[in-house]
C-alpha cells in the first residue's frame, strides 16, 4: 500500500516538474516509477565518453580483405571557409527572418537561407545563379580576415581521406584546377583529362554553437555552402571518370555530386540525369558503387534519383536531412514530419532506412536492384543498415566512422575525451511502430544491433566535439572511413 502511495506521490512530483517549467525529471524519479529515461547523458556521466573511446580502440579492426584500389568522382573544388555572420556583416547584410530557397539569386536570398539553416543548426548547400554577384561575394570572402582555403567537393574530400591509408591507391576525377591540384595528397592520381585551367570555388559559411545574429541563435555548430559552379553542376567529368576505370581497374567506385545538378534547372538536369545513368551502366560489372548524397530541395529530382540511380549502386551515405527528404520525396515513413527536432528519433530513422532498402534495395533476392547498404550519420549517432549476406565487418565500420567524426571535428587525429560529450540516447526504440525492441547502449560494447526481416542495423554513438574547429567534410570522412573498414562478403549480381 505504501509503495502505491509513494509511487502516486512521485508521479505527482513528476507532473509538477513539467507544469512548473522543469521538463528534466530527476533520474531517480524516472527509475522509481518505471518511466524510461530517454534523456541524453548528464555531465556526471563523463566516464561514459572515456569508456566508449577505449572500447572503440579495442574493437575497431580492419577486415580480412581490404580494398587496394578505389576510384572517386566527380565533384571537386576549392573551399573558401569563413565565419558566416562576419562575412554577411561585411557585405552590409542585416539579420532578419529566415526562409529556404532552392536556388539563390541575390544577397537577400543568401541571408534568408543562411538564417533559415543557422536557427536549425543544420547543414545545407545551394547554387547561386548570378555569376557576377557570386564573384563579388567570393572576392570579399577570400579577403575576409581569417579566411582559409581547403580541398573541397565530396569526391575530393573522400579521396583525401582514402589517401591517409598508404596501401590504398586512389583515382580522383573531377574539375581539378591548379590550386586544387597543388593541395591534393600526392598519393591521389588525377587523369590529365580532369585537369582544367581555373578552379571552381565554393564558399563555406560556418557558425559556432550558441552563435547569435540578430534574434537567430545557432543550436549547434554547422555550415552553409553555396557556389556558382557550372562544371560540377553539370557533372561534366562523369564520362571521363567512367572511361578511366578500365585502365585503373578499381575494386570500389565512390560517386558523388548528383546534388549539384539540381541548381541547373529542371530541363537541364532532366536530360543530364539520363546521360549520367547511361554512363554509370558502362561501369564494369562486379565493381561495387557507393553513392554519397548531399543537401537537396527538389522533390522531383530526389524522386528521379531514387527511381533511376539508387537501384544501380550498392551503397549510399547520407545524413538526417537527406534521409527525411528522401522519404518525403517518395511518400515514405514519417514523410509528414517537416523536420527533425533535436536528436533524430532512432525508431523513425530505422523505419525510413528499412523502407529505402525494401522499396529500392535488394531485400528480395529476385530484385534487380544492387542497393544493399546505407550508412546514416547524424550528430549524435550513426547507423549502418545492410541487407544480410553482402557486407561484413559492419560493427567496426560504423564505430570507425563515429570515431573519425569525433576526432576530426576537434581538429585532432585521435579522440580527446576531455573535448567531447555524449549526446546519443542511452536507451531507444528500434521502430516507431510495432513490432519493435527497446535497446540500451553499453559503453564497453558501444554498438547496438537489431534486425528487421533480412536487414541488420548497427548503431554506435558519436562523441560530439564540444568546440568543433571545422564541420565541412565530416560526412565525407565518415563514409570514407566506413568503407575502408567494410568488406564485401558476397559478389553482387550487378
Amino acid at each position: 500500500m505504501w509503495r502505491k502511495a509513494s509511487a502516486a506521490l512521485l508521479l505527482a512530483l513528476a507532473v509538477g516538474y513539467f507544469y512548473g517549467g522543469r521538463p528534466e525529471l530527476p533520474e531517480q524519479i524516472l527509475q522509481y516509477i518505471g518511466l524510461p529515461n530517454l534523456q541524453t547523458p548528464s555531465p556526471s556521466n563523463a566516464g561514459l565518453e572515456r569508456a566508449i573511446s577505449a572500447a572503440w580502440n579495442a574493437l575497431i579492426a580492419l577486415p580480412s580483405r581490404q580494398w587496394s584500389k578505389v576510384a572517386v568522382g566527380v565533384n571537386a573544388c576549392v573551399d573558401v571557409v569563413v565565419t558566416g555572420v562576419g562575412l554577411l556583416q561585411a557585405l552590409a547584410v542585416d539579420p532578419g527572418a529566415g526562409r529556404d530557397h532552392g536556388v539563390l539569386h541575390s544577397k537577400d536570398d543568401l541571408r534568408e537561407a543562411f538564417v533559415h539553416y543557422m536557427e536549425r543548426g543544420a547543414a545545407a548547400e545551394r547554387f547561386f545563379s548570378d555569376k557576377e554577384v557570386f564573384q563579388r561575394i567570393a572576392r570579399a570572402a577570400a579577403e575576409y580576415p581569417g579566411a582559409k582555403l581547403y580541398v573541397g567537393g565530396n569526391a575530393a574530400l573522400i579521396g583525401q581521406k582514402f589517401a591517409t591509408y598508404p596501401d590504398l591507391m586512389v583515382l580522383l576525377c573531377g574539375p581539378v584546377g591548379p590550386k586544387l591540384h597543388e593541395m591534393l595528397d600526392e598519393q591521389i592520381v588525377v587523369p590529365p583529362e580532369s585537369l582544367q585551367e581555373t578552379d571552381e570555388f565554393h564558399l563555406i559559411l560556418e557558425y559556432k554553437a550558441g552563435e547569435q545574429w540578430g534574434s537567430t541563435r545557432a543550436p549547434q555548430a554547422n555550415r552553409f555552402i553555396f557556389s556558382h559552379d557550372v562544371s560540377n553542376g553539370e557533372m561534366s567529368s562523369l564520362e571521363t571518370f567512367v572511361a578511366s576505370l578500365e585502365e585503373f581497374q578499381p575494386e570500389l567506385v565512390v560517386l558523388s555530386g548528383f546534388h549539384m545538378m539540381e541548381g541547373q534547372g529542371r530541363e537541364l538536369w532532366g536530360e543530364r540525369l539520363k546521360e549520367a545513368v547511361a554512363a554509370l551502366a558502362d561501369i564494369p560489372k562486379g565493381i561495387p558503387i557507393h553513392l554519397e548524397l548531399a543537401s537537396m530541395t527538389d522533390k522531383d529530382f530526389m524522386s528521379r534519383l531514387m527511381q533511376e540511380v539508387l537501384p544501380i549502386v550498392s551503397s549510399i551515405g547520407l545524413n538526417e536531412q537527406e534521409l527525411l527528404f528522401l522519404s518525403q520525396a517518395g511518400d515514405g515513413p514519417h514523410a509528414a514530419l517537416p523536420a527533425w527536432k533535436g536528436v533524430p528519433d532512432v525508431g523513425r530513422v530505422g523505419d525510413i532506412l528499412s523502407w529505402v532498402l525494401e522499396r529500392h534495395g535488394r531485400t528480395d533476392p529476385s530484385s534487380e536492384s544492387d542497393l544493399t547498404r546505407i550508412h546514416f550519420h547524424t550528430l549524435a549517432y550513426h547507423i549502418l543498415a545492410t541487407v544480410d549476406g553482402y557486407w561484413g565487418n559492419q560493427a567496426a565500420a560504423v564505430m570507425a566512422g563515429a570515431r573519425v567524426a569525433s576526432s576530426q571535428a576537434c581538429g585532432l587525429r585521435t579522440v580527446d575525451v576531455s573535448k567531447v560529450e555524449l549526446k546519443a540516447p542511452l536507451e531507444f526504440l528500434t521502430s516507431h511502430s510495432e513490432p519493435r525492441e527497446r535497446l540500451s547502449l553499453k559503453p564497453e560494447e558501444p554498438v547496438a544491433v537489431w534486425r528487421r526481416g533480412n536487414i541488420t542495423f548497427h548503431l554506435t554513438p558519436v562523441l560530439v566535439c564540444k568546440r568543433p574547429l571545422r564541420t565541412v567534410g565530416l560526412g565525407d570522412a565518415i563514409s570514407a572511413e566506413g568503407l575502408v573498414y567494410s568488406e564485401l562478403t558476397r559478389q553482387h549480381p550487378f
Side-chain angles (χ1 to χ4, degrees):
M1 184 73 181
W2 67 269
R3 286 187 61 86
K4 290 182 179 179
S6 300
L9 174 60
L10 288 170
L11 187 56
L13 284 171
V15 173
Y17 263 83
F18 278 103
Y19 283 94
R22 295 283 301 278
E24 303 88 358
L25 281 172
E27 185 177 352
Q28 294 92 334
I29 293 180
L30 288 168
Q31 290 176 345
Y32 190 92
I33 62 178
L35 295 177
N37 182 5
L38 299 182
Q39 301 292 328
T40 52
S42 66
S44 61
N45 291 328
L48 293 174
E49 287 88 350
R50 189 174 303 279
I52 289 170
S53 181
W56 280 347
N57 292 334
L59 297 172
I60 295 173
L62 287 164
S64 56
R65 289 184 298 167
Q66 300 167 39
W67 318 106
S68 61
K69 288 184 176 183
V70 178
V72 187
V74 292
N75 61 328
C77 64
V78 175
D79 281 345
V80 183
V81 181
V82 295
T83 167
V85 172
L87 177 62
L88 290 172
Q89 289 174 333
L91 294 171
V93 175
D94 295 324
R99 180 186 174 193
D100 196 10
H101 294 273
V103 177
L104 308 179
H105 301 288
S106 65
K107 287 196 296 184
D108 284 338
D109 286 357
L110 170 61
R111 185 258 303 164
E112 290 178 346
F114 177 81
V115 169
H116 175 83
Y117 285 98
M118 180 181 177
E119 64 190 6
R120 290 163 173 77
E125 184 167 355
R126 295 292 179 265
F127 181 76
F128 200 104
S129 64
D130 191 315
K131 180 179 180 180
E132 291 185 3
V133 174
F134 175 79
Q135 288 177 338
R136 288 199 294 270
I137 297 174
R139 280 195 294 271
E143 295 169 0
Y144 189 82
K148 296 179 181 179
L149 301 184
Y150 294 99
V151 171
N154 306 89
L157 288 165
I158 290 171
Q160 288 284 91
K161 187 59 187 175
F162 281 141
T164 61
Y165 290 86
D167 295 330
L168 187 55
M169 289 184 63
V170 183
L171 175 80
L172 172 65
C173 282
V176 178
K179 185 62 179 178
L180 177 59
H181 201 201
E182 173 190 320
M183 293 191 294
L184 287 174
D185 191 288
E186 61 183 15
Q187 191 171 320
I188 294 176
V189 177
V190 180
E193 297 82 4
S194 285
L195 299 174
Q196 58 183 41
E197 294 181 359
T198 58
D199 286 282
E200 299 285 359
F201 289 93
H202 288 203
L203 304 188
I204 317 294
L205 275 56
E206 293 194 322
Y207 50 84
K208 299 177 181 178
E211 186 170 359
Q212 188 136 2
W213 191 37
S215 61
T216 301
R217 185 179 180 86
Q220 63 190 37
N222 224 315
R223 76 280 180 190
F224 183 85
I225 306 173
F226 67 104
S227 68
H228 180 84
D229 184 344
V230 177
S231 295
N232 283 307
E234 295 176 349
M235 293 188 77
S236 58
S237 299
L238 182 60
E239 283 77 8
T240 298
F241 177 54
V242 174
S244 68
L245 300 181
E246 184 175 357
E247 180 180 351
F248 186 69
Q249 294 289 303
E251 297 163 347
L252 172 68
V253 167
V254 179
L255 186 63
S256 63
F258 275 97
H259 65 286
M260 297 292 296
M261 276 193 203
E262 193 182 48
Q264 303 302 304
R266 185 161 305 192
E267 186 174 334
L268 288 175
W269 68 244
E271 189 60 33
R272 184 59 180 136
L273 189 57
K274 290 179 185 176
E275 296 170 354
V277 171
L280 294 179
D282 292 333
I283 293 180
K285 302 298 181 183
I287 300 178
I289 304 171
H290 172 85
L291 172 66
E292 192 67 18
L293 295 177
S295 178
M296 286 175 266
T297 60
D298 189 320
K299 288 186 178 180
D300 289 339
F301 183 70
M302 177 62 95
S303 180
R304 287 277 300 274
L305 281 184
M306 280 192 288
Q307 299 296 329
E308 300 176 33
V309 179
L310 261 58
I312 59 177
V313 302
S314 47
S315 171
I316 61 173
L318 76 179
N319 67 18
E320 74 278 10
Q321 292 171 276
E322 294 141 18
L323 182 72
L324 182 58
F325 186 64
L326 193 153
S327 186
Q328 291 168 342
D331 292 323
H334 315 298
L337 194 68
W340 301 108
K341 292 184 179 179
V343 176
D345 177 73
V346 175
R348 285 189 170 98
V349 169
D351 291 342
I352 302 175
L353 292 174
S354 291
W355 171 78
V356 174
L357 287 173
E358 289 167 358
R359 179 69 63 89
H360 302 285
R362 196 180 177 79
T363 53
D364 183 347
S366 64
S367 169
E368 294 183 359
S369 173
D370 297 326
L371 181 63
T372 52
R373 178 182 184 271
I374 303 176
H375 194 166
F376 168 82
H377 47 86
T378 188
L379 181 72
Y381 64 87
H382 297 171
I383 296 176
L384 259 170
T386 53
V387 178
D388 293 344
Y390 292 96
W391 296 89
N393 210 43
Q394 295 305 278
V398 75
M399 287 189 288
R403 183 174 63 178
V404 80
S406 300
S407 59
Q408 186 167 309
C410 286
L412 303 171
R413 292 185 178 274
T414 58
V415 177
D416 182 341
V417 294
S418 69
K419 296 182 178 181
V420 296
E421 58 185 335
L422 187 64
K423 291 191 173 184
L426 295 177
E427 189 177 79
F428 59 88
L429 296 170
T430 60
S431 175
H432 200 62
S433 58
E434 299 295 342
R436 58 184 177 179
E437 300 176 70
R438 186 182 300 278
L439 298 180
S440 299
L441 280 171
K442 300 176 182 178
E444 66 279 5
E445 297 177 7
V447 179
V449 183
W450 70 97
R451 300 186 70 226
R452 189 182 301 187
N454 61 343
I455 301 171
T456 298
F457 298 82
H458 291 83
L459 179 148
T460 195
V462 175
L463 299 180
V464 181
C465 185
K466 297 175 185 176
R467 295 179 177 84
L469 298 179
R470 187 165 183 250
T471 59
V472 175
L474 272 186
D476 304 310
I478 291 163
S479 287
E481 195 81 345
L483 287 166
V484 166
Y485 282 84
S486 291
E487 179 180 7
L488 198 62
T489 58
R490 187 165 82 190
Q491 194 70 25
H492 283 61
F494 293 113

